[in-house]
Amino acid sequence: MKPFLLAVSLTCTTFLTPFPTLAASQQKVLEAAQEQEQPLLETLETLVNIDSGTGYVEGLNKVAGILEQRLERLGAEIETRPAPKFGGKTLIGTLNGNGDQNLMLMIHYDTVFDEGEVEERPFRTEDGRGYGPGIGDAKGGVAVILHALAILEELDFKKYGTLTVVFNPDEEKGSLGSRDAIQQLAKDQDAVLVFEPALGEDDVDAVTVVTKGINYVFLDVEGRASHAGSAPEQGRNAIMELAHQLLQLDELGNADKETTLNWTIVDGGAKRNIIPEQAHAEGDMRYFDAGEYERVMNEANKIIQNKLIEDTKVNFRIDKGRPPMPDNPQTQALAEQAQAIYSELDRDLNAIEIGGGTDAAYAYTPDSDTPAVLESLGLVGGRYHSADEFIVLDSIVPRLYLATRMIMELSGQAPDS
């Protein structure tokens, strides 16, 4: 990782001290956030206790039905779009205000966990933490959005132009069925706030200002089958050629540009007594520099010309995933704004870059001032994608306060003006 892009403290934030006395308008927001803490936990329990792994359409539809009802009760106009490839639907709710700034709040409601995970470890709280499948990544973010909207309704705040909420069902597998909708909707926004949990180190309170892009790499070898005992010399061993190529391609990363390429899946062969005619490998590529796609592709295609076994065919390809969200002044400005809001509560807020990719990159438009995009406005937690995934319960009120105040400030109005 590069150094942090803003001056921040790395001290783990806890929320055990009393909140300071605020200006009257800010105090109203804080009190409303405190009133929403228990309702948010109830929402979170409901959402977490529904299996909604990517592709598990039955569970995804249950969650989507709940979210649609909640948005309708908040006065949103609802649109749904199918998410091809893995199934489920992208839910779009729009609130119309009386201002001129268009804002979008976005997060996914799928998880990485299989059907049946909830039965094994349903929602629970213990020692200041909440646990359950997808509680941080990213059902906590869904809950923050819903209850920030409830605060705005309670305070009768409508000084935005439009407030668009996007809940998508396939982020954990690249948002292949929802990314077009995200990109289309984002182009009409002045700012996009994304509600992944605080990323980086566990328990550390942060927003994300830079993300890597993700590509998927594939290597296929075609050989020739033959009897492994009586005529091995007539075969062309695809596994051996694949191993040779993987060793050659192991240096495709670039440390100076922080590009990584790691081979993570290998398969080949059918039976022990047959020289394998097919072998396949897949890998994960992460990058900041958009030009790395062409470099890696060109270098790889030169390298694979050097074969260990004659008469084999080798093919290398890259499928593009999420683009990077690079360092940019609009995101930096949002991060500084978020830090200033957090300081109202005497809290420090880190601004970090991460090696993973998120849907924030689909919302970001290169070479354009809009929309400004900020990531990781969900809850503080850690151990995401594991059985130990958690949220910090004492992050709920500060994060609700942050989300609500960000919407108010981005609308160009003070909460009581």
Side-chain angles (χ1 to χ4, degrees), residues 89-407:
K89 55 188 176 183
T90 300
L91 184 62
I92 303 162
T94 304
L95 293 160
N96 294 301
N98 49 34
D100 57 10
Q101 295 294 299
N102 297 325
L103 310 177
M104 189 162 98
L105 315 178
M106 179 174 76
I107 194 56
H108 63 97
Y109 60 93
D110 61 318
T111 76
V112 298
F113 299 103
D114 294 332
E115 181 185 359
E117 191 80 14
V118 165
E119 185 177 357
E120 293 183 11
R121 51 185 192 91
F123 174 89
R124 78 180 199 277
T125 59
E126 181 180 328
D127 297 330
R129 291 180 172 183
Y131 295 91
I135 191 168
D137 187 12
K139 291 181 177 178
V142 173
V144 170
I145 289 176
L146 291 175
H147 290 272
L149 294 178
I151 292 172
L152 294 176
E153 182 181 49
E154 178 183 340
L155 299 178
D156 195 27
F157 184 90
K158 297 182 179 179
K159 293 175 181 177
Y160 46 82
T162 59
L163 196 54
T164 301
V165 178
V166 179
F167 293 134
N168 64 312
D170 55 355
E171 188 273 347
E172 296 294 3
K173 291 190 177 180
S175 301
L176 301 182
S178 59
R179 61 186 176 186
D180 290 347
I182 291 169
Q183 291 170 331
Q184 177 190 2
L185 292 164
K187 289 179 181 179
D188 296 326
Q189 309 300 320
D190 294 291
V192 176
L193 304 180
V194 188
F195 285 78
E196 290 283 353
L199 300 169
E201 298 180 47
D202 289 355
D203 278 308
V204 175
D205 203 342
V207 290
T208 300
V209 291
V210 177
T211 69
K212 279 188 173 182
I214 304 175
N215 287 334
Y216 311 104
V217 295
F218 301 88
L219 184 65
D220 290 287
V221 177
E222 180 181 341
R224 183 190 305 156
S226 182
H227 196 290
S230 62
E233 72 283 353
Q234 296 179 14
R236 297 293 182 266
N237 195 315
I239 289 178
M240 293 298 293
E241 183 62 38
L242 182 76
H244 167 69
Q245 295 293 345
L246 290 176
L247 290 172
Q248 291 193 128
L249 296 169
D250 192 42
E251 302 297 326
L252 284 174
N254 186 313
D256 291 338
K257 293 185 177 181
E258 298 188 61
T259 301
T260 61
L261 193 157
N262 292 293
W263 296 100
T264 54
I265 297 175
V266 173
D267 63 68
K271 295 182 179 180
R272 284 190 301 273
N273 62 350
I274 300 176
I275 297 297
E277 64 178 343
Q278 301 288 339
H280 172 79
E282 299 181 17
D284 177 283
M285 175 182 168
R286 307 289 172 116
Y287 64 101
F288 286 117
D289 184 342
E292 286 292 86
Y293 171 88
E294 293 294 337
R295 179 191 68 80
V296 170
M297 179 64 81
N298 291 335
E299 290 187 12
N301 279 318
K302 290 178 182 177
I303 290 170
I304 63 176
Q305 301 308 311
N306 177 30
K307 297 179 183 178
L308 176 68
I309 300 173
E310 293 182 359
D311 299 329
T312 56
K313 297 179 181 179
V314 182
N315 180 67
F316 175 91
R317 80 176 196 272
I318 303 175
D319 287 355
K320 289 186 177 181
R322 289 188 184 88
M325 185 175 76
D327 182 13
N328 67 89
Q330 293 78 30
T331 295
Q332 294 287 4
L334 285 184
E336 291 170 357
Q337 189 174 19
Q339 288 178 314
I341 290 171
Y342 238 50
S343 70
E344 296 167 3
L345 303 178
D346 288 342
R347 305 296 193 260
D348 293 327
L349 184 65
N350 293 346
I352 66 170
E353 67 177 40
I354 62 169
T358 78
D359 285 342
Y362 290 138
Y364 173 74
T365 303
D367 304 319
S368 175
D369 291 341
T370 57
V373 182
L374 184 63
E375 171 62 279
S376 298
L377 288 157
L379 298 174
V380 179
R383 301 287 298 159
Y384 310 121
H385 293 193
S386 81
D388 300 320
E389 181 172 334
F390 70 90
I391 58 161
V392 177
L393 298 179
D394 283 330
S395 72
I396 292 173
V397 171
R399 286 287 173 144
L400 277 174
Y401 180 86
L402 174 61
T404 307
R405 291 275 290 110
M406 285 290 289
I407 294 167

